[in-house]
Amino acid sequence: QVQLVESGGGLVQPGGSLRLSCAASGIILSIYTMGWYRQAPGKQRELVAAITSIGITNYADSVKGRFTISRDNAKNTVYLQMNSLKPEDTAVYYCSRARSGDYVPFDSWGQGTQVTVSS
């Protein structure tokens, strides 16, 4: 059974940093493209960042230069380092395996992890 568990969210001031983790069980993450997605209140879920099995990364324009996606295959975990956080980054963040090329997610959504950026 595939399980992806997101963690690492919290309340942070503008300009602060957080590192999100997506720990997997039941699958070997290294062979998949993985994506981080977020959903803010009243908005559609959107792709934030993705990383392919060979380490190619892709970012939403709104987070380029501030967020970094990475993976630790030994820990079967994908990370999202978020720096210079802005109030508009406030959302629930989710991870999923994603279709190569267009990054359409194909896992059932987990609980996600809440990120709140506020002073």
Side-chain angles (χ1 to χ4, degrees):
Q1 183 178 354
V2 177
Q3 189 173 22
L4 299 172
V5 179
E6 303 94 344
S7 63
L11 173 64
V12 64
Q13 292 187 341
S17 298
L18 285 172
R19 188 177 80 155
L20 307 184
S21 299
C22 170
S25 59
I27 55 171
I28 299 174
L29 281 187
S30 62
I31 66 173
Y32 293 101
T33 292
M34 295 296 300
W36 279 100
Y37 304 80
R38 67 186 181 188
Q39 187 166 23
K43 295 188 177 181
Q44 289 191 329
R45 202 170 326 222
E46 62 176 354
L47 173 70
V48 176
I51 185 167
T52 70
S53 60
I54 59 171
I56 296 171
T57 57
N58 185 68
Y59 297 93
D61 287 343
S62 59
V63 307
K64 280 180 182 176
R66 300 188 297 122
F67 290 11
T68 303
I69 188 171
S70 62
R71 62 200 311 160
D72 184 333
N73 293 333
K75 294 184 177 179
N76 216 27
T77 299
V78 175
Y79 301 99
L80 185 69
Q81 178 67 44
M82 306 187 296
N83 298 329
S84 302
L85 282 161
K86 303 176 180 180
E88 52 262 45
D89 295 317
T90 295
V92 180
Y93 285 70
Y94 304 86
C95 63
S96 173
R97 290 176 292 175
R99 195 164 65 191
S100 297
D102 60 7
Y103 309 115
V104 172
F106 59 82
D107 280 307
S108 299
W109 297 113
Q111 298 217 348
T113 187
Q114 175 71 49
V115 172
T116 302
V117 184
S118 176
S119 55

